[in-house]
Amino acid sequence: MIRDITIGQYYPADSVIHKLDPRVKLAGTIIFIVSLFLFSSFTGYIVVALFLGTVIKLSKVPFKFIVKGLRAVFILLMFTVVFNMFLTPGKELVHFFGNIRITEEGLRVAVFMGIRLILLIIGSSLLTLTTSPNQLTDGMEKGLSVFKKIGLPVHEIAMMMSIALRFIPILLEETDKIMKAQSARGADFETGGFIKKAKALIPILVPLFVSAFRRAIDLAMAMEARCYHGGEGRTKMKPLKYKKRDSMAYFTCFAYVGIIIAVNIIANKFIGV
């Protein structure tokens, strides 16, 4: 399951999505995430799913590889669905012992929440899968450059976020190696109750934290050796410049927003589903 987490990983491919300016992909991801919370109908989510499917097709990233990331959050997804199903008041459909019951509104909210989380995870993963850490840093810094006027350390924030994303797959790989090493020494992470499983994590967390701090120190020393002192006065090897395909991508995002707003109005007023 550790290897199934796709957020933070980069999948190299020769696609139009990979070639887009990182600022376009960041803006498109934000627009996509916001659009997920505008719908309360199945019709709207169909439009969102079709748009996301088209982007995945253009990215040339295997759909199986993207969906693989859902396995790591399956438990969180199930908790969210179950809690919404049983704790939302409304018209009763099924009654269990005590006050436990499934309502029509709870079932509807649970289904919508499950779909929303799945689309959110897939859409967010697509950003890092099609954008290298360096491009992501440059895109964040350039996109947030307007906040420099109020004294916000934009370059440092973008660098920290990029390093954090870059370290996700590294730490996951390190965790997988430690678990295999501890299992070879006789450690058991599967059997027993909650307390026993929690104690079994100590032989994993201790070496993982030691490794993470060691990597952080090595990275800090490497940055100091290269005379890194923040973003002041630094130049870019590959300055970001908008191209025709980026303008088309922005136009597509605005058209997508217009379509989802129109679909949402029509679904609420006329269809009601």
Side-chain angles (χ1 to χ4, degrees), residues 191-216:
T191 61
F194 177 78
I195 301 298
K196 184 178 180 181
K197 289 183 178 180
K199 290 181 178 179
L201 292 177
I202 297 177
I204 298 176
L205 295 177
V206 172
L208 181 62
F209 273 101
V210 172
S211 176
F213 282 117
R214 187 187 302 119
R215 289 180 183 275

Side-chain angles (χ1 to χ4, degrees), residues 55-227:
V55 175
I56 292 174
K57 185 69 175 178
L58 293 173
S59 70
K60 296 183 180 179
V61 179
F63 184 69
K64 291 182 179 180
F65 185 82
I66 298 176
V67 174
K68 185 175 66 173
L70 295 175
R71 299 178 186 175
V73 294
F74 178 76
I75 296 178
L76 175 63
L77 184 63
M78 291 304 300
F79 265 111
T80 304
V81 171
V82 170
F83 271 85
N84 280 281
M85 185 183 300
F86 286 100
L87 299 180
T88 303
K91 183 180 179 181
E92 183 179 305
L93 294 178
V94 182
H95 186 271
F96 297 95
F97 56 90
N99 293 325
I100 300 177
R101 58 183 181 176
I102 298 177
T103 63
E104 182 178 337
E105 290 78 5
L107 185 61
R108 183 183 180 87
V109 171
V111 172
F112 283 159
M113 189 63 67
I115 296 174
R116 184 178 295 167
L117 284 176
I118 291 173
L119 294 175
L120 178 63
I121 294 169
I122 294 176
S124 302
S125 299
L126 199 60
L127 172 64
T128 56
L129 288 171
T130 59
T131 313
S132 66
N134 290 337
Q135 290 178 332
L136 202 57
T137 302
D138 293 342
M140 288 180 183
E141 183 179 357
K142 197 73 173 180
L144 298 174
S145 59
V146 65
F147 294 102
K148 287 183 179 180
K149 297 179 180 180
I150 60 175
L152 191 69
V154 173
H155 175 80
E156 287 73 12
I157 293 175
M159 178 65 72
M160 287 188 294
M161 294 180 67
S162 176
I163 292 175
L165 288 173
R166 181 66 183 90
F167 266 72
I168 290 175
I170 294 176
L171 292 179
L172 292 176
E173 183 179 356
E174 190 73 20
T175 303
D176 189 49
K177 290 180 180 179
I178 294 172
M179 290 182 67
K180 289 181 179 178
Q182 297 293 7
S183 297
R185 294 179 175 87
D188 185 9
F189 305 109
E190 302 296 333
T191 61
F194 177 78
I195 301 298
K196 184 178 180 181
K197 289 183 178 180
K199 290 181 178 179
L201 292 177
I202 297 177
I204 298 176
L205 295 177
V206 172
L208 181 62
F209 273 101
V210 172
S211 176
F213 282 117
R214 187 187 302 119
R215 289 180 183 275
I217 293 172
D218 292 342
L219 178 61
M221 292 178 64
M223 295 174 73
E224 288 182 0
R226 290 167 174 80
C227 300

